[in-house]
Amino acid sequence: MSIMVPSTTPALITPGRQALDSALHQLDQAAAHLGLDDGLRTMLATPRRSLTVSVPVRREDGRLDVVQGFRVQHNVSRGPAKGGLRFHPTTDLDEVTALAMWMTWKCALVGIPYGGAKGGVAVDPAGLTTRELERLTRRYVSEIMPLIGPEKDIPAPDVGTDEQTMAWIMDTYSVSAGYSVPGVVTGKPTTLGGSLGRTGATSRGVQIAALAALGRSPEGVTVAVQGFGKVGALAAQYLSDAGCKVVAVSDVTGAVHAAGGLDVARLRAYAAETGGVRGFHHADALDRDDLLELDVDVLVPAAMEGAITEANAARVRARLIVEGANGPTTPEADEILAAAGTTVVPDILANAGGVIVSYLEWVQNMQAYSWSSGEVEIKLRDLMLGAFADVRSLAAERGLTLRQAAHVIGVGRVAEAHQMRGLYP
Ligand code: NAD
């Protein structure tokens, strides 16, 4: 039996619905492999809590806008819910639900004691002033306040949010509590209890996963990175530092290509100054979507969901795809890639470095103690490589793709937690 969950937008196949369909398909496959009964499968397919809020924002010119916000706690059977907060114009409840579900499997896969959550606000942050963004963030937080807390649900940065957003959330929550509560969010500035190593943690994890999957010297290995934001830019930097040749990157403004390799540090400085990679003098311009089809060794999608679909998967020439983004490859594309012998290191493994160091940040906050960057890096590496080894050996043993194996492990651990806890009442 396949899992049916009603859509919030039944008449439209939105990007969010596509993401949720992908997540449910992956769960379905893992549940069938594990032989889970229908009741438990439905439990795992449905979020424990979903909250939709209307967030009023006072604009600088006095106008009042109202935007939709969401917070979904997909699962809390292994610990508090954990997951990022996204500010993006097309985000909706389906997308946030899919992202929350992937967080559940990711935390279980890397063995950290969290369930999965996600938040979203349907807004384009680039269209708001800093003061408008602050008001929006604080009001959204006050609307979802009953759900969050260091023992309940801990937000972190995702697309369109950053350390500053987390600082405003921590302050709003703390003012309401009457004392400072650093553990309510992760990805904070270090002055407020943020962990050393958190800023680049997702990208460092992508680098660790890519090098482990390559299994050979990275020297001269060619790489293309889609998305040059928090994850993509530092993933490009760390892969370049390791000896790879990053030949192309893209962001919403466009794509740039240099067959001899990009100077990633220079490009990061350029993008920070101009707002994007487009127009970088030391490279050729490239069509944004053509980046995915370049003849490179490694492709790192680090932008949004649904980048590699049945429409372009057959033209992807990279032999190794390392998913910095969540949900960049649809199930149909997965089948095409698997048939072509392309290795895909799946999102719930490849980008888990972010939530691993978020967990380390939260542990430090709960102990009012801080670790050196070296200690954080060692713990991150151990957890990433441990999970990578588990996934690779299960895939080899059972003839599964890395995505299927990762889901079998993640879903299996959450199912086991449900079975051990039993059902109340
Ligand atoms: P971000 O907002 O910092 O960056 C997103 C980047 O993608 C931007 O450079 C944007 O211009 C680019 N982009 C958007 N659409 C594009 C397109 N069609 N083609 C090329 N580039 C495009 O977000 P982020 O935090 O870097 O997140 C990126 C992805 O990584 C998301 O899927 C997110 O869920 C996932 N992720 C993020 C973290 C984290 O710690 N931030 C952790 C795990 C997973």
Side-chain angles (χ1 to χ4, degrees), residues 74-341:
H74 170 257
N75 196 281
V76 288
S77 60
R78 298 178 62 262
K82 183 86 187 84
L85 168 62
R86 174 173 293 196
F87 287 174
H88 191 273
T90 65
T91 202
D92 61 15
L93 187 57
D94 285 336
E95 180 185 62
V96 174
T97 304
L99 291 163
M101 191 181 297
W102 284 322
M103 283 303 295
T104 300
W105 319 140
K106 190 184 301 181
C107 293
L109 172 63
V110 297
I112 56 178
Y114 284 142
K118 205 79 182 189
V121 178
V123 72
D124 179 6
L128 298 179
T129 66
T130 304
R131 289 194 322 176
E132 288 168 341
L133 260 183
E134 177 175 354
R135 287 198 287 270
L136 165 81
T137 304
R138 289 185 184 278
R139 183 59 188 250
Y140 165 74
V141 173
S142 74
E143 299 292 347
I144 65 158
M145 193 79 83
L147 257 56
I148 61 170
E151 271 109 17
K152 296 198 284 187
D153 182 354
I154 306 122
D158 190 74
V159 172
T161 59
D162 57 16
E163 284 190 354
Q164 177 61 77
T165 326
M166 297 306 116
W168 289 329
I169 297 178
M170 183 242 172
D171 182 67
T172 308
Y173 188 89
S174 298
V175 166
S176 163
Y179 52 94
S180 285
V181 189
V184 68
V185 280
T186 58
K188 299 176 290 294
T190 46
T191 40
L192 295 176
S195 178
L196 295 174
R198 173 61 184 92
T199 308
T202 310
S203 316
R204 179 68 72 200
V206 168
Q207 181 216 36
I208 293 168
L211 299 186
L214 261 177
R216 64 180 161 107
S217 162
E219 215 54 50
V221 165
T222 53
V223 179
V225 180
Q226 183 204 31
F228 205 62
K230 294 185 295 297
V231 177
L234 282 176
Q237 183 70 66
Y238 297 153
L239 286 166
S240 171
D241 294 346
C244 295
K245 195 158 64 164
V246 178
V247 295
V249 303
S250 64
D251 66 11
V252 277
T253 68
V256 290
H257 178 253
L262 292 160
D263 180 340
V264 179
R266 206 168 186 180
L267 179 55
R268 282 173 52 222
Y270 174 84
E273 197 185 312
T274 65
V277 301
R278 188 194 175 104
F280 183 55
H281 306 305
H282 312 276
D284 303 321
L286 180 76
D287 186 80
R288 221 171 55 181
D289 294 335
D290 289 349
L291 174 135
L292 299 167
E293 302 170 17
L294 285 176
D295 189 9
V296 287
D297 299 311
V298 184
L299 174 63
V300 179
M304 301 291 288
E305 303 94 78
I308 306 171
T309 66
E310 60 188 327
N312 62 359
R315 295 194 300 274
V316 170
R317 284 184 280 173
R319 307 307 294 153
L320 175 62
I321 298 175
V322 184
E323 295 183 333
N326 287 305
T329 312
T330 64
E332 297 78 13
D334 256 341
E335 279 183 28
I336 295 166
L337 294 168

Side-chain angles (χ1 to χ4, degrees), residues 109 346 349 386-396 401-403 405-406 409:
L109 172 63
L349 174 59
F388 190 90
D390 289 348
V391 169
R392 186 150 60 184
S393 73
L394 188 77
T401 64
L402 296 181
R403 190 186 315 281
I409 296 171

